PDB file of all heavy atoms in Angstrom:
ATOM      1  N   ASN A 541     -19.543 -24.105  26.760  1.00 75.00           N
ATOM      2  CA  ASN A 541     -20.700 -24.922  27.057  1.00 75.00           C
ATOM      3  C   ASN A 541     -21.196 -24.615  28.505  1.00 75.00           C
ATOM      4  O   ASN A 541     -22.379 -24.444  28.744  1.00 75.00           O
ATOM      5  CB  ASN A 541     -20.308 -26.388  26.965  1.00 75.00           C
ATOM      6  CG  ASN A 541     -20.229 -26.813  25.476  1.00 75.00           C
ATOM      7  OD1 ASN A 541     -20.795 -26.228  24.622  1.00 75.00           O
ATOM      8  ND2 ASN A 541     -19.446 -27.925  25.300  1.00 75.00           N
ATOM      9  N   HIS A 542     -20.249 -24.532  29.398  1.00 74.00           N
ATOM     10  CA  HIS A 542     -20.679 -24.218  30.828  1.00 74.00           C
ATOM     11  C   HIS A 542     -21.176 -22.890  30.997  1.00 74.00           C
ATOM     12  O   HIS A 542     -22.243 -22.562  31.645  1.00 74.00           O
ATOM     13  CB  HIS A 542     -19.443 -24.478  31.733  1.00 74.00           C
ATOM     14  CG  HIS A 542     -19.143 -25.892  32.007  1.00 74.00           C
ATOM     15  ND1 HIS A 542     -20.087 -26.796  32.659  1.00 74.00           N
ATOM     16  CD2 HIS A 542     -18.095 -26.688  31.723  1.00 74.00           C
ATOM     17  CE1 HIS A 542     -19.509 -27.936  32.732  1.00 74.00           C
ATOM     18  NE2 HIS A 542     -18.348 -27.909  32.155  1.00 74.00           N
ATOM     19  N   ASP A 543     -20.540 -21.883  30.319  1.00 66.00           N
ATOM     20  CA  ASP A 543     -20.976 -20.408  30.429  1.00 66.00           C
ATOM     21  C   ASP A 543     -22.418 -20.257  29.879  1.00 66.00           C
ATOM     22  O   ASP A 543     -23.250 -19.412  30.370  1.00 66.00           O
ATOM     23  CB  ASP A 543     -20.057 -19.471  29.737  1.00 66.00           C
ATOM     24  CG  ASP A 543     -18.661 -19.488  30.398  1.00 66.00           C
ATOM     25  OD1 ASP A 543     -18.593 -19.875  31.608  1.00 66.00           O
ATOM     26  OD2 ASP A 543     -17.689 -19.021  29.735  1.00 66.00           O
ATOM     27  N   SER A 544     -22.667 -21.005  28.841  1.00 61.00           N
ATOM     28  CA  SER A 544     -24.067 -20.867  28.213  1.00 61.00           C
ATOM     29  C   SER A 544     -25.110 -21.792  28.852  1.00 61.00           C
ATOM     30  O   SER A 544     -26.264 -21.719  28.452  1.00 61.00           O
ATOM     31  CB  SER A 544     -23.921 -21.114  26.790  1.00 61.00           C
ATOM     32  OG  SER A 544     -23.510 -22.527  26.494  1.00 61.00           O
ATOM     33  N   GLY A 545     -24.717 -22.534  29.812  1.00 58.00           N
ATOM     34  CA  GLY A 545     -25.607 -23.492  30.476  1.00 58.00           C
ATOM     35  C   GLY A 545     -26.029 -24.672  29.588  1.00 58.00           C
ATOM     36  O   GLY A 545     -27.044 -25.303  29.779  1.00 58.00           O
ATOM     37  N   THR A 546     -25.098 -25.001  28.657  1.00 56.00           N
ATOM     38  CA  THR A 546     -25.480 -26.155  27.716  1.00 56.00           C
ATOM     39  C   THR A 546     -24.552 -27.291  27.902  1.00 56.00           C
ATOM     40  O   THR A 546     -24.323 -28.091  26.991  1.00 56.00           O
ATOM     41  CB  THR A 546     -25.357 -25.561  26.250  1.00 56.00           C
ATOM     42  OG1 THR A 546     -24.036 -25.134  26.037  1.00 56.00           O
ATOM     43  CG2 THR A 546     -26.339 -24.555  25.974  1.00 56.00           C
ATOM     44  N   ALA A 547     -23.961 -27.462  29.092  1.00 55.00           N
ATOM     45  CA  ALA A 547     -23.143 -28.570  29.311  1.00 55.00           C
ATOM     46  C   ALA A 547     -24.010 -29.840  29.127  1.00 55.00           C
ATOM     47  O   ALA A 547     -25.117 -29.904  29.634  1.00 55.00           O
ATOM     48  CB  ALA A 547     -22.501 -28.513  30.700  1.00 55.00           C
ATOM     49  N   PRO A 548     -23.501 -30.867  28.428  1.00 58.00           N
ATOM     50  CA  PRO A 548     -24.328 -31.998  28.169  1.00 58.00           C
ATOM     51  C   PRO A 548     -24.738 -32.841  29.360  1.00 58.00           C
ATOM     52  O   PRO A 548     -23.889 -32.935  30.262  1.00 58.00           O
ATOM     53  CB  PRO A 548     -23.556 -32.794  27.188  1.00 58.00           C
ATOM     54  CG  PRO A 548     -22.161 -32.401  27.467  1.00 58.00           C
ATOM     55  CD  PRO A 548     -22.166 -31.009  27.961  1.00 58.00           C
ATOM     56  N   ASP A 549     -25.854 -33.454  29.312  1.00 56.00           N
ATOM     57  CA  ASP A 549     -26.169 -34.481  30.349  1.00 56.00           C
ATOM     58  C   ASP A 549     -25.645 -35.850  29.885  1.00 56.00           C
ATOM     59  O   ASP A 549     -24.768 -35.947  28.914  1.00 56.00           O
ATOM     60  CB  ASP A 549     -27.670 -34.500  30.603  1.00 56.00           C
ATOM     61  CG  ASP A 549     -28.446 -34.776  29.281  1.00 56.00           C
ATOM     62  OD1 ASP A 549     -27.894 -35.440  28.380  1.00 56.00           O
ATOM     63  OD2 ASP A 549     -29.633 -34.313  29.237  1.00 56.00           O
ATOM     64  N   ASP A 550     -25.971 -36.918  30.545  1.00 53.00           N
ATOM     65  CA  ASP A 550     -25.386 -38.161  30.199  1.00 53.00           C
ATOM     66  C   ASP A 550     -25.742 -38.704  28.820  1.00 53.00           C
ATOM     67  O   ASP A 550     -24.953 -39.454  28.278  1.00 53.00           O
ATOM     68  CB  ASP A 550     -25.862 -39.192  31.265  1.00 53.00           C
ATOM     69  CG  ASP A 550     -25.350 -38.901  32.690  1.00 53.00           C
ATOM     70  OD1 ASP A 550     -24.330 -38.146  32.737  1.00 53.00           O
ATOM     71  OD2 ASP A 550     -25.892 -39.331  33.608  1.00 53.00           O
ATOM     72  N   ASP A 551     -26.843 -38.194  28.288  1.00 57.00           N
ATOM     73  CA  ASP A 551     -27.237 -38.749  26.989  1.00 57.00           C
ATOM     74  C   ASP A 551     -26.871 -37.818  25.839  1.00 57.00           C
ATOM     75  O   ASP A 551     -27.091 -38.197  24.645  1.00 57.00           O
ATOM     76  CB  ASP A 551     -28.767 -38.982  26.941  1.00 57.00           C
ATOM     77  CG  ASP A 551     -29.201 -40.007  27.969  1.00 57.00           C
ATOM     78  OD1 ASP A 551     -28.396 -40.944  28.147  1.00 57.00           O
ATOM     79  OD2 ASP A 551     -30.198 -39.841  28.646  1.00 57.00           O
ATOM     80  N   ALA A 552     -26.406 -36.584  26.026  1.00 68.00           N
ATOM     81  CA  ALA A 552     -26.139 -35.612  24.958  1.00 68.00           C
ATOM     82  C   ALA A 552     -24.708 -35.737  24.621  1.00 68.00           C
ATOM     83  O   ALA A 552     -23.814 -35.971  25.417  1.00 68.00           O
ATOM     84  CB  ALA A 552     -26.584 -34.251  25.392  1.00 68.00           C
ATOM     85  N   ARG A 553     -24.431 -35.356  23.320  1.00 79.00           N
ATOM     86  CA  ARG A 553     -23.008 -35.262  22.883  1.00 79.00           C
ATOM     87  C   ARG A 553     -22.381 -33.900  23.239  1.00 79.00           C
ATOM     88  O   ARG A 553     -23.034 -32.893  23.187  1.00 79.00           O
ATOM     89  CB  ARG A 553     -23.031 -35.445  21.394  1.00 79.00           C
ATOM     90  CG  ARG A 553     -21.568 -35.618  20.834  1.00 79.00           C
ATOM     91  CD  ARG A 553     -21.573 -35.761  19.343  1.00 79.00           C
ATOM     92  NE  ARG A 553     -22.289 -36.937  18.856  1.00 79.00           N
ATOM     93  CZ  ARG A 553     -21.713 -38.134  18.873  1.00 79.00           C
ATOM     94  NH1 ARG A 553     -20.537 -38.333  19.293  1.00 79.00           N
ATOM     95  NH2 ARG A 553     -22.443 -39.193  18.295  1.00 79.00           N
TER      96      ARG A 553
END
Side-chain angles (χ1 to χ4, degrees):
N541 286 336
H542 283 296
D543 291 344
S544 63
T546 58
D549 54 30
D550 293 338
D551 298 325
R553 188 183 297 279

